[in-house]
Amino acid sequence: MSSGPLPRVLVVTGTDTDVGKTVVTAAVVATVLAAGLRVTAYKPTQTGVAPGEPGDMAEVERLTGAGTSEGVRLRAPMAPGPAAALEGTRLPTLAQHLELVTDLAAQHYVVVVEGAGGLLVELTEAGETLADLAGGLPDAAALVVARSALGTLNHTMLTREALSHRAIRQLGVVIGAWPDDPDVIETTNRRYLADLPEGLFGAVPLGAPRLDPTAFRAAAPTWLPGLAQRLGTP
Ligand SMILES: Nc1ncnc2c1ncn2[C@@H]1O[C@H](COP(=O)(O)OP(=O)(O)O)[C@@H](O)[C@H]1O
Ligand SMILES: [Mg+2]
């Protein structure tokens, strides 16, 4: 497991969309809250949600009770660039995201930033990605959320390589939904991920988002031992 102090900004990326980034974001927030520290979450671009509807940050708030914010919200369930074009909306610039996250980091012990889709999805009109957002912050590191099933190792290694290529610090991989009765592929995948240099940061059990929020908050530190240890969470 990678060592060193906890960064002020934790960037939650994933091998794909629908791999559990939002649930892992909530688990990270809950774990920091359990240590008695101030924490918030930020979604730079929320797509596929109409005004007034609950997006990813509403799910984080429901599960943790923490405050959150969004950079921009777009209705179309597609990449931010084309979704904004459909609405004739401008996307925030990288500088605007950086300023917002820097402000949040000044007011919280940890800011958790949830990407849209995978790492290299373009978040701005200039084509910058979550990797550029992480790379533009002085004290940020990435968590890579991965599936447990067949195919995850290639996608995880591609994401790790893209992060390394951009010199972004990696805290480790988190399995988004770990079953009670893993099959042999899942078991060997987990062992492989745990043996990576930065190690397995944690695994969220299958069914976690269906827990009631109190149970979710109580259990989250046990899912993310890599984080709980750094925070000294009991
Ligand atoms: N550990 C889990 N157990 C059961 N369902 C999960 C788990 N993690 C995520 N899900 C479900 O899978 C879907 C995608 O998860 P989500 O966290 O929204 O992924 P992403 O943010 O990567 O798109 C959601 O419906 C979510 O409730
Ligand atoms: Mg999400």
Side-chain angles (χ1 to χ4, degrees), residues 59-177:
E59 177 69 350
V60 173
E61 292 192 6
R62 180 184 74 79
L63 288 169
T64 69
T68 67
S69 45
E70 283 176 1
V72 67
R73 168 172 287 216
L74 302 156
R75 284 172 192 271
M78 58 200 294
L86 274 179
E87 289 182 28
T89 302
R90 304 300 304 265
L91 291 171
T93 63
L94 183 64
Q96 287 171 324
H97 289 304
L98 288 170
E99 191 183 335
L100 218 140
V101 175
T102 302
D103 283 353
L104 291 171
Q107 296 161 41
H108 298 85
Y109 189 78
V110 174
V111 182
V112 190
V113 178
E114 184 193 339
L119 182 67
L120 298 186
V121 168
E122 295 184 356
L123 300 183
T124 68
E125 287 160 27
E128 289 118 336
T129 68
L130 189 69
D132 295 305
L133 181 49
L137 293 161
D139 191 16
L143 289 174
V144 177
V145 182
R147 297 184 208 278
S148 60
L150 186 65
T152 199
L153 295 184
N154 178 55
H155 291 149
T156 304
M157 300 309 270
L158 288 172
T159 303
R160 290 176 68 254
E161 187 169 312
L163 287 163
S164 310
H165 182 67
R166 291 161 177 80
I168 296 167
R169 187 176 152 209
Q170 299 183 51
L171 286 180
V173 175
V174 181
I175 298 173

Side-chain angles (χ1 to χ4, degrees), residues 197-208:
E198 75 280 13
L200 189 68
F201 200 74
V204 175
L206 187 69

Side-chain angles (χ1 to χ4, degrees), residues 14 16-24 43 56 59 114-115 117 145 175-178 204-210:
D16 201 352
T17 190
D18 265 352
V19 294
K21 292 185 303 295
T22 301
V23 176
V24 169
K43 179 91 181 175
D56 289 356
E59 177 69 350
E114 184 193 339
V145 182
I175 298 173
W178 182 250
V204 175
L206 187 69
R210 290 188 292 278

Side-chain angles (χ1 to χ4, degrees), residues 27-48:
V28 169
V29 167
T31 301
V32 179
L33 281 177
L37 298 165
R38 279 175 62 77
V39 57
T40 191
Y42 176 60
K43 179 91 181 175
T45 48
Q46 172 69 67
T47 56

